[in-house]
Amino acid sequence: TLFPYTTLFRSWVALFEEAEAHYLGLGDYIVDYAEALRLFRQAATLGSTEAYGRIGKQYLDGEGTAKNPVKALEFFKEGARRGRPACYFFMARMFSDEQNDVNADKCFSLFIKNLPEGASGENILSSDEARSVDHGCLHVVNN
């Protein structure tokens, strides 16, 4: 039956939304990166592929935890393995920042290759993921 899957989906959606509220300080929530990280981790465990990218970004930027590019890369890789093309994009940016052009090019190619059919700039990344991206990069993707 689909019931257990539906229950898990609802569970991670609620956790992810609460994590976002803590991360962004939405509504009555105060910005609390550590709590957001904790909740994103739970959402990832329950199946949220988008949470892997958020966790990776928090490790990369040192939000709610010490900066740790190695851990960031681990979460980006796992998100990509689980079907989140945006994680390839974040790895490409990370490698590009390190002047590792070979890996940056490979990750960007994998990002393009793994986009869902009919993807456009409006639905490639979530709104929060898109806010963290250089918009010139997305222009390249759309052309």
Side-chain angles (χ1 to χ4, degrees), residues 17-77:
E17 289 174 352
E18 185 178 351
E20 248 188 354
H22 283 285
Y23 185 82
L24 298 170
L26 300 176
D28 291 335
Y29 288 87
I30 60 168
V31 172
D32 184 342
Y33 293 135
E35 182 65 5
L37 182 61
R38 186 183 74 74
L39 293 167
F40 281 137
R41 282 177 164 278
Q42 288 180 14
T45 299
L46 291 174
S48 171
T49 59
E50 188 175 347
Y52 284 94
R54 302 294 179 87
I55 295 165
K57 182 183 177 317
Q58 285 193 254
Y59 276 109
L60 189 61
D61 297 338
E63 297 172 330
T65 186
K67 278 188 179 193
N68 189 332
V70 172
K71 268 205 162 320
L73 184 59
E74 289 173 14
F75 280 97
F76 290 146
K77 283 180 180 179

Side-chain angles (χ1 to χ4, degrees), residues 124-142:
I124 293 172
L125 305 170
S126 71
S127 59
D128 189 54
E129 288 170 330
R131 280 191 287 275
S132 70
V133 172
D134 173 9
H135 292 287
C137 294
L138 282 183
H139 179 69
V140 171
V141 172
N142 284 327

